[in-house]
């Protein structure tokens, strides 16, 4: 049972959400989390940003981006909730009935990296899913190059919806390697 307070006009309301919880056999493994629409919506519902309404311009942009098959590069400073944007993009996309697979690039070391790139059960070998590469900026340059070349070789961006998040700073330009991702995969920004 979960609850949330919200206000409409001058009246305050409390909404209760009842859910039967079934744990997935393979929810998170090797830095890879497998979610469905209900999981993504639950994360959005529990987020501060789920309470705050988004601007009309941002909602329109997200809706139009969610409806196409191009990869999307989500750029923003630390703390700007890039993962939330990815969840919204997924929940509004035509792919929302397929898995939402979050690849936490911070956790991709040694064994986890080998699983992602080389294992037959890697999400990179699946088709028809939404793959979200969270914290892409945490990968060293050689792994970024390998990931990009793997994506191009497998034409991953043509068989899956691809989302990336990259942390920027107010004073920095976009890193040249990210420009390669944007160029070779035809990413929307």
């Amino acid at each position: 049972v979960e609850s949330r307070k919200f206000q409409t006009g001058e009246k305050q309301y409390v909404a209760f959400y009842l859910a039967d919880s079934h744990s997935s056999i393979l929810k998170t493994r090797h830095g890879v989390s497998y979610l469905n629409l209900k999981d993504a919506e639950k994360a959005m519902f529990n987020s501060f940003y789920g309470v705050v309404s988004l601007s009309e311009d941002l909602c329109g942009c997200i809706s139009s981006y969610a409806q196409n098959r191009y990869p999307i590069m989500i750029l923003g400073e630390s703390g700007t909730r890039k993962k939330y944007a990815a969840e919204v993009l997924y929940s509004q996309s035509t792919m929302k009935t397929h898995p939402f697979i979050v690849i936490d690039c911070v956790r991709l070391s040694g064994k986890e990296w080998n699983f992602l790139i080389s294992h037959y059960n890697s999400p990179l070998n699946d088709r028809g899913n939404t793959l979200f590469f969270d914290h892409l900026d945490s990968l060293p340059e050689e792994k970024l190059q390998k990931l990009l070349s793997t994506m191009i070789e497998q034409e991953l961006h043509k068989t899956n919806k691809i989302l990336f998040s990259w942390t920027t700073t107010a004073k920095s330009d976009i890193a040249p390697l990210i420009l390669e991702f944007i160029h070779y995969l035809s990413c929307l920004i």
Side-chain angles (χ1 to χ4, degrees), residues 130-156:
T130 300
L131 302 175
F132 174 49
F133 292 85
D134 196 13
H135 303 290
L136 191 63
D137 52 291
S138 67
L139 290 178
E141 188 171 333
E142 66 275 359
K143 286 184 178 178
L144 284 168
Q145 288 286 0
K146 176 66 176 171
L147 179 61
L148 179 58
S149 65
T150 300
M151 294 179 110
I152 292 168
E153 287 170 19
Q154 294 182 1
E155 295 187 324
L156 204 61

Side-chain angles (χ1 to χ4, degrees), residues 32-35 90 99-103 123 126 129-133:
V32 178
S33 301
Y34 298 83
L35 307 169
Y90 165 70
F100 179 58
I101 302 171
V102 179
I103 299 157
D126 290 341
N129 298 320
T130 300
L131 302 175
F132 174 49
F133 292 85

Side-chain angles (χ1 to χ4, degrees), residues 84-127:
Y84 175 77
E87 291 164 345
V88 173
L89 284 163
Y90 165 70
S91 70
Q92 293 185 13
S93 78
T94 58
M95 307 280 287
K96 65 185 173 189
T97 58
H98 299 271
F100 179 58
I101 302 171
V102 179
I103 299 157
D104 184 357
C105 295
V106 171
R107 295 187 53 203
L108 293 180
S109 61
K111 183 178 178 182
E112 291 80 10
W113 175 254
N114 290 334
F115 169 79
L116 182 68
I117 296 298
S118 307
H119 200 273
Y120 65 90
N121 278 337
S122 168
L124 302 185
N125 294 325
D126 290 341
R127 302 291 177 253

Side-chain angles (χ1 to χ4, degrees), residues 4-185:
R4 176 197 271 179
K5 291 181 182 180
F6 63 95
Q7 188 166 345
T8 303
E10 294 183 18
K11 294 187 177 186
Q12 270 197 340
Y13 297 93
V14 177
F16 292 94
Y17 177 71
L18 304 170
D20 187 17
S21 178
H22 299 285
S23 59
S24 169
I25 295 171
L26 183 61
K27 193 81 163 178
T28 301
R29 182 177 177 201
H30 301 293
V32 178
S33 301
Y34 298 83
L35 307 169
N36 59 29
L37 180 59
K38 185 185 262 186
D39 295 330
E41 286 176 338
K42 183 177 179 182
M44 291 180 336
F45 180 78
N46 290 329
S47 165
F48 166 76
Y49 291 90
V51 178
V52 177
S53 59
L54 301 173
S55 74
E56 255 183 64
D57 292 341
L58 185 56
C59 286
C61 181
I62 287 175
S63 288
S64 67
Y65 277 23
Q67 299 307 311
N68 70 61
R69 293 286 300 222
Y70 288 104
I72 300 170
M73 181 69 68
I74 304 167
L75 302 171
E77 294 182 35
S78 182
T80 55
R81 298 293 306 218
K82 294 172 288 296
K83 186 174 182 181
Y84 175 77
E87 291 164 345
V88 173
L89 284 163
Y90 165 70
S91 70
Q92 293 185 13
S93 78
T94 58
M95 307 280 287
K96 65 185 173 189
T97 58
H98 299 271
F100 179 58
I101 302 171
V102 179
I103 299 157
D104 184 357
C105 295
V106 171
R107 295 187 53 203
L108 293 180
S109 61
K111 183 178 178 182
E112 291 80 10
W113 175 254
N114 290 334
F115 169 79
L116 182 68
I117 296 298
S118 307
H119 200 273
Y120 65 90
N121 278 337
S122 168
L124 302 185
N125 294 325
D126 290 341
R127 302 291 177 253
N129 298 320
T130 300
L131 302 175
F132 174 49
F133 292 85
D134 196 13
H135 303 290
L136 191 63
D137 52 291
S138 67
L139 290 178
E141 188 171 333
E142 66 275 359
K143 286 184 178 178
L144 284 168
Q145 288 286 0
K146 176 66 176 171
L147 179 61
L148 179 58
S149 65
T150 300
M151 294 179 110
I152 292 168
E153 287 170 19
Q154 294 182 1
E155 295 187 324
L156 204 61
H157 58 294
K158 294 181 180 178
T159 58
N160 294 283
K161 177 81 171 173
I162 308 291
L163 308 173
F164 303 101
S165 76
W166 184 275
T167 302
T168 60
T169 62
K171 297 178 183 178
S172 71
D173 293 327
I174 297 174
L177 200 49
I178 289 310
L179 291 175
E180 286 185 38
F181 272 80
I182 293 167
H183 172 73
Y184 286 112
L185 300 175

